[in-house]
Structures are given as C-alpha cells and as structure tokens.
C-alpha cells in the first residue's frame, strides 16, 4: 500500500469515527445512557485530533485543510459547552419549572444546531482533503511525509 493510499484510508476512517462521535453525542444529548469514552470532549482525544497530530506535516500543506484544525477545535468546544450545559441545566421551582424547561430545550436545540453545522463543515473538509490528496502524485505525497518543509 502506498503512503497516499494509507493517508486516504486514514482519512476515511477519521470521517467514519467523526460520524460515530456525532451519533453517540446525539444519543447522549437525547438522554440515552452512552459511555463517556465514546464521545471524547477534548479535540486531541478523538480520532480526528490524533490524525491531525500524526499527519500534520502533510495536512498543513493542503489548501483544503487550512481550516481543519480550528474547525475541529471549535466543534469540540461547542460539544464541551453543550455537555456542561446538560450537566448544569436549571431545574426551576414549582412556579418557574415550565418556563425553565422551555428555555433549556431551546438552548439544547441551539447548541445542537451549531454542532450539526460544524460537523457538516468538517465532513465537507474531509471530502475536500480526500479530493485534493487524490490529485497529488504518490511521489509528492511520499516527499511531503519524509520532508515536512517541502510543499512544492
């Protein structure tokens, strides 16, 4: 298997792992009991964060990946904010309970929508990176992996 094929395979696996993270997170946010380890909060603990760290020497040479790191960090930040919000939602009292529950549902929807938009951005970025890598010669990929300063 060539380095290019390995990189494309890793990218497909990262995309799959991202989608799993999203599905587990959605289930958790809907109140299902999900193992905490399935939705790592830190952006460096998930498969995408690890891939960025391991393959940064080539990722940063790709035009399609210029926002990957910041978009990925933002995605996890919003996920973390949502997680903390869920852990600390207001309960209200007998008089305010319905109003507080409505406010909580609205906040959850807002967080979930932002998270969904960021996820869609990441998925498009993964696809764009895949397309860009496919357009690069195997030899150039090999050179980028062995000589991180090369971006010719």
């Amino acid at each position: 298997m060539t380095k290019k094929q390995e990189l494309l395979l890793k990218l497909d696996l990262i995309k799959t792992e991202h989608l799993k993270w999203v599905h587990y997170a959605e289930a958790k946010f809907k109140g299902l009991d999900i193992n905490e380890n399935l939705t790592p909060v830190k952006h460096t603990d998930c498969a995408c964060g690890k891939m960025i760290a391991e393959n940064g020497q080539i990722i940063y040479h790709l035009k399609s990946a210029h926002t990957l790191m910041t978009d990925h960090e933002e995605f996890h930040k919003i996920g973390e904010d949502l997680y903390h919000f869920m852990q600390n939602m207001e309960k209200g009292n007998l008089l305010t309970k319905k109003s507080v529950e409505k406010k909580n549902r609205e906040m959850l929807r807002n967080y979930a929508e932002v998270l969904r938009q960021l996820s869609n951005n990441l998925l498009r970025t993964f696809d764009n990176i895949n397309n860009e890598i496919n357009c690069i010669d195997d030899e150039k990929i090999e050179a980028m992996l062995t000589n991180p300063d090369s971006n010719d």
Side-chain angles (χ1 to χ4, degrees), residues 57-118:
Q57 71 271 27
I58 189 168
I59 295 295
Y60 298 115
H61 290 295
L62 303 174
K63 290 179 178 137
S64 57
H66 73 279
T67 63
L68 177 63
M69 194 166 94
T70 54
D71 288 350
H72 180 249
E73 286 179 26
E74 181 67 13
F75 175 79
H76 277 274
K77 182 184 179 327
I78 296 298
E80 182 178 11
D81 290 349
L82 175 55
Y83 178 78
H84 289 299
F85 175 77
M86 290 180 63
Q87 298 299 316
N88 301 303
M89 282 194 291
E90 288 183 47
K91 304 293 183 213
N93 59 37
L94 189 59
L95 298 174
T96 63
K97 186 173 181 168
K98 286 200 184 284
S99 171
V100 168
E101 286 175 352
K102 182 179 177 184
K103 178 182 160 195
N104 286 342
R105 280 192 305 275
E106 185 178 322
M107 289 291 292
L108 282 172
R109 273 195 305 275
N110 289 341
Y111 273 119
E113 181 56 33
V114 170
L115 204 59
R116 202 172 298 111
Q117 289 171 358
L118 288 168

Side-chain angles (χ1 to χ4, degrees), residues 5 24 27-28 44-45 62 73 111-112 117-118 122 132:
Q5 290 169 326
Y24 286 132
K28 183 179 185 81
T44 54
D45 291 343
L62 303 174
E73 286 179 26
Y111 273 119
Q117 289 171 358
L118 288 168
L122 283 170
E132 187 174 349

Side-chain angles (χ1 to χ4, degrees), residues 11 14 18 48 68 122-130:
L11 192 59
I14 298 311
H18 173 76
C48 183
L68 177 63
L122 283 170
L123 292 172
R124 274 191 299 278
T125 298
F126 293 146
D127 289 342
N128 291 339
I129 291 169
N130 187 304

